[in-house]
Amino acid sequence: MTAFSLEPAQLAWCAELRALAAERLRPLAEKGEPGRVNRPLVAELGRLGLIGRLFAAGALDLCLMRECLAQACTEAETALALQGLGAHPVHAHGTGAQRARWLPAVTDGTAVAAFALSEPGAGSDAAALALTAHPDGPARWRLSGEKCWISNAPEADFYTVFARTTAGAGARGVTAFLLPADRPGLTGHGLDMLSPHPIGALDLDGVPVTADDVLGEVDRGFRVAMGTLNLFRPSVGAFAVGMAQAALDATLDHTARRDAFGGKLRDLQAVSHQVAEMALRTEAARLMVYAAATAYDEGAPDVPGRSAMAKLLATETAQYVVDTAVQLHGARALRRGHLLEHLYREVRAPRVYEGASEIQRGIIAKELYATQEAR
């Protein structure tokens, strides 16, 4: 099914992406170790020009990339997205020296980036983060505290780290720093998570940073974080739509071939109606994702609300579609190595990261009331 908003050239590019993911990226992904950064896969994404396109394209292109890669290789999709998430603050807010030092290496896949916002006590409530930047002379600080649930940690080559520079100021007292992984006092360890992509924790014990490491302005780092998340939230929805489409495609194939009760599974109304519902919800989520991305590209004023809606609907939809696909496949879908077993582990995390579903509902309500009050 084709969304109304895509041009023929975009559809052709999507088909090319799916083919690349299946033929060149999936074999590299299959050789990777779960929970570890797959550097050959990241390097191949660089060689294909996909990482560079992250910084040159708009939100809709980002969504198309994530959706199409997710249909054929979720590991490639995630590796691409994490490069973008970790390096976008450098691209958008970095100095000339910061950009020259890191963006070429990120783009060609030789440097791995990470976005370090969440903490043990500040996940969804990002403005409550406690990692502290203690003054250490003019325009110098020492970072002390913890970061947790950080994708690509502790193996990234640099981190976009958010730290508190002004106590008691909430979101107004946070600064974004570009932190190379080799800074003294920075250590970390991996976390064994349900999702197979690399996630870890960081410990910062007096890590030195200076004004040269600041991304944007001092005490304005929350804007850096939210600007990045507003761009990437619709594309998290696109990742979810790609997984939902993969699960739907697998279900269509399985129910058309599987013999049951004297016919095919698809001949049972109870089955065919579930498949129809899976398709309906997937297409609705896809259209909302595309609409949110287009609003971002056009500079519309309602981007935060649209982004939240897109992420919420798409991630909740993907959970439903993958779960229904498992049910219709039966026990075979629960075997280690089955596509749906893989998707079942992958699909749960997007409802939590980059703002949990509950946070998205809060954003939507806040934007609705703000619009009403402005009338």
Side-chain angles (χ1 to χ4, degrees), residues 112 157 222 338:
V112 172
D157 296 302
F222 201 69
H338 193 281

Side-chain angles (χ1 to χ4, degrees), residues 37 112-121 130-132 143-162 177-183 185-191 198-207:
V37 173
V112 172
F115 185 82
L117 178 63
S118 296
E119 297 179 5
L131 178 74
T132 303
L143 304 182
S144 295
E146 299 176 76
K147 291 293 181 182
C148 200
W149 327 121
I150 307 304
S151 295
N152 282 346
E155 299 179 65
D157 296 302
F158 74 91
Y159 301 88
T160 296
V161 174
F162 298 87
F177 294 94
L178 194 166
L179 187 63
D182 59 0
R183 286 289 168 86
L186 176 62
T187 58
H189 59 276
L191 298 171
I199 302 177
L202 298 173
D203 294 303
L204 296 93
D205 183 12
V207 178

Side-chain angles (χ1 to χ4, degrees), residues 39 99 118 155 160 178 200 204 230 258 265 321 323 357:
R39 288 185 179 267
R99 290 163 58 90
S118 296
E155 299 179 65
T160 296
L178 194 166
L204 296 93
N230 281 337
R258 175 71 170 174
L265 269 181
V321 172
D323 185 71
S357 293

Side-chain angles (χ1 to χ4, degrees), residues 151 190 223 237 259 271 345:
S151 295
R223 292 184 179 181
D259 293 317
V271 171
R345 289 185 290 114

